[in-house]
Amino acid sequence: QAALAISIELGENYIQSCLAYLNGEIIHFIEEHNTEIDKQTIIEKLKTIIDELVSKSPITPNNLIGITLGVHGVTLNNQITFSPFYNLDNLNIQEQLQAHYLCPVYLENEANLSAIGEYTFITDKDRIINLNIKTGIGAGVIHFGKLMTGTHGRFGEVGHTIIFPGGRECPCGNRGCLERYASAKALYRSIKERMNIDFIEGDELIRLWKAGDPIITEEVLKVIDYLSVGINNLISSYDPDEVIINSALFNHDPCLIEELKKRLNSRMTKETKLSVSKLTDKAILFGGIAVVASRYLNIENLKLPAVSLQISNENV
């Protein structure tokens, strides 16, 4: 409780954010849905959110010592270099926020932040892969406390590995990318086409899956088939201790991990632990808190005991 951190996730059309102590204890949480994210409005929108969080700050010796922004896209040197979901490429968010709030600001890929959150607060493994399955698919890879980023910040972009040459077009420029078949967005699209509907909520999808609806069952298992291909390739390439799945579907029904294990029975994959995220949809926020704490304390492989993960949502 010596200092405070702010962590923000920029989703495709939503924003989650929180104010926390350095040990991950959440002080205030804000969630916005159906919000437009673009170059013209994002800086002012972020300032409004940060100001709201700062207004809830308790008195601490060092006050706010860092802000982390989780981006659904590729980042390099605290800059967004590519995102298929919003046009923020090369917008200098870091510089503008740092100048305004007079504290360090970090921009990082959302899957990387999820991996950092799991490594810092949850797992006891040294080599982990966190697979985020949302609108896209990204893998955060941690090797003995060090986040693997690659030359251009694209390390772990498993969603853009090709499983069907010449397949569906992807915003990255490829055809047949994994996330065009196995992401949450791809699953919803297939279900809507099969059921001839315009919209289906996540809770309804889970209800139909648990009720054994034949179309839902077929589409979910198809997605797990595709995922197993991507995960097989990840394990074969990186040989991690553990692969952590962070997906709304798996989080609602952790038993789905058994379906995935059935499809990963080769000699290359059978010794790797598969688990479902305990941080669930707040993993990115916890990763952002861990980044601030790690940089402030100058500890690269920071490990902290898990705090209460119960967060009361405050919708704005």
Side-chain angles (χ1 to χ4, degrees), residues 111-129:
N112 288 345
L113 287 181
S114 289
I116 292 169
E118 297 285 351
Y119 177 84
T120 303
F121 293 105
I122 301 297
T123 186
D124 60 353
K125 304 299 183 184
D126 293 314
R127 296 170 293 258
I128 69 166
I129 294 176

Side-chain angles (χ1 to χ4, degrees), residues 108-131 138-150 155-156 234 238-244 283 287 290-291 294 299-303:
E108 185 56 81
N109 167 265
E110 46 88 23
N112 288 345
L113 287 181
S114 289
I116 292 169
E118 297 285 351
Y119 177 84
T120 303
F121 293 105
I122 301 297
T123 186
D124 60 353
K125 304 299 183 184
D126 293 314
R127 296 170 293 258
I128 69 166
I129 294 176
N130 180 92
L131 195 67
V141 183
I142 304 282
H143 184 77
F144 287 97
K146 184 175 177 59
L147 176 69
M148 310 302 288
T149 57
F155 200 97
L234 277 174
Y238 303 134
D239 190 23
D241 297 318
E242 181 177 10
V243 175
I244 301 165
V291 165
S294 175
I299 301 174
E300 186 175 70
N301 58 342
L302 182 65
K303 286 282 194 180

Side-chain angles (χ1 to χ4, degrees), residues 23-68:
N23 67 345
E25 182 183 346
I26 302 295
I27 299 165
H28 192 65
F29 173 78
I30 302 173
E31 188 170 26
E32 293 188 20
H33 290 285
N34 302 315
T35 186
E36 186 176 352
I37 297 173
D38 58 48
K39 279 186 176 180
Q40 286 68 43
T41 61
I42 189 59
I43 297 297
E44 290 308 312
K45 187 180 290 288
L46 288 172
K47 286 180 181 179
T48 299
I49 291 169
I50 294 168
D51 288 346
E52 164 70 10
L53 292 170
V54 169
S55 73
K56 304 295 183 180
S57 296
I59 296 173
T60 60
N62 298 292
N63 301 319
L64 179 65
I65 51 92
I67 299 168
T68 304

Side-chain angles (χ1 to χ4, degrees), residues 107-281:
L107 270 69
E108 185 56 81
N109 167 265
E110 46 88 23
N112 288 345
L113 287 181
S114 289
I116 292 169
E118 297 285 351
Y119 177 84
T120 303
F121 293 105
I122 301 297
T123 186
D124 60 353
K125 304 299 183 184
D126 293 314
R127 296 170 293 258
I128 69 166
I129 294 176
N130 180 92
L131 195 67
N132 266 19
I133 306 165
K134 295 191 175 184
T135 308
I137 299 177
V141 183
I142 304 282
H143 184 77
F144 287 97
K146 184 175 177 59
L147 176 69
M148 310 302 288
T149 57
T151 303
H152 303 98
R154 301 180 195 134
F155 200 97
E157 284 292 331
V158 65
H160 298 293
T161 56
I162 297 170
I163 62 169
F164 289 109
R168 297 171 183 166
E169 290 185 11
C170 182
C172 77
N174 284 334
R175 300 184 72 96
C177 288
L178 176 65
E179 69 177 41
R180 302 299 288 166
Y181 297 87
S183 66
K185 189 173 185 177
L187 174 61
Y188 280 99
R189 183 189 61 238
S190 297
I191 288 172
K192 287 187 288 187
E193 289 175 357
R194 289 284 307 277
M195 300 182 78
N196 194 27
I197 55 178
D198 294 326
F199 178 76
I200 182 170
E201 291 184 329
D203 290 344
E204 178 67 4
L205 189 155
I206 297 298
R207 187 189 69 78
L208 292 172
W209 158 255
K210 290 183 174 180
D213 180 276
I215 291 177
I216 298 295
T217 299
E218 182 180 338
E219 293 301 323
V220 168
L221 293 181
K222 191 186 298 181
V223 161
I224 292 176
D225 284 340
Y226 297 146
L227 277 178
S228 69
V229 175
I231 293 172
N232 176 83
N233 295 343
L234 277 174
I235 293 173
S236 299
S237 299
Y238 303 134
D239 190 23
D241 297 318
E242 181 177 10
V243 175
I244 301 165
I245 309 297
N246 195 325
S247 151
L249 189 61
F250 280 78
N251 294 341
H252 277 91
D253 188 358
C255 293
L256 281 172
I257 203 77
E258 298 305 319
E259 293 292 337
L260 191 55
K261 287 177 180 178
K262 290 177 187 176
R263 293 156 174 80
L264 292 167
N265 52 16
S266 77
R267 294 180 182 179
M268 296 294 179
T269 60
K270 66 180 181 180
E271 294 177 350
T272 301
K273 180 182 177 181
L274 293 178
S275 62
V276 178
S277 172
K278 292 182 174 63
L279 295 175
T280 63
D281 63 337

Side-chain angles (χ1 to χ4, degrees), residues 90-105:
N90 302 312
L91 177 64
N92 202 332
I93 298 174
Q94 183 201 36
E95 183 178 288
Q96 295 187 59
L97 293 183
Q98 280 189 168
H100 189 77
Y101 292 101
L102 304 178
C103 70
V105 174

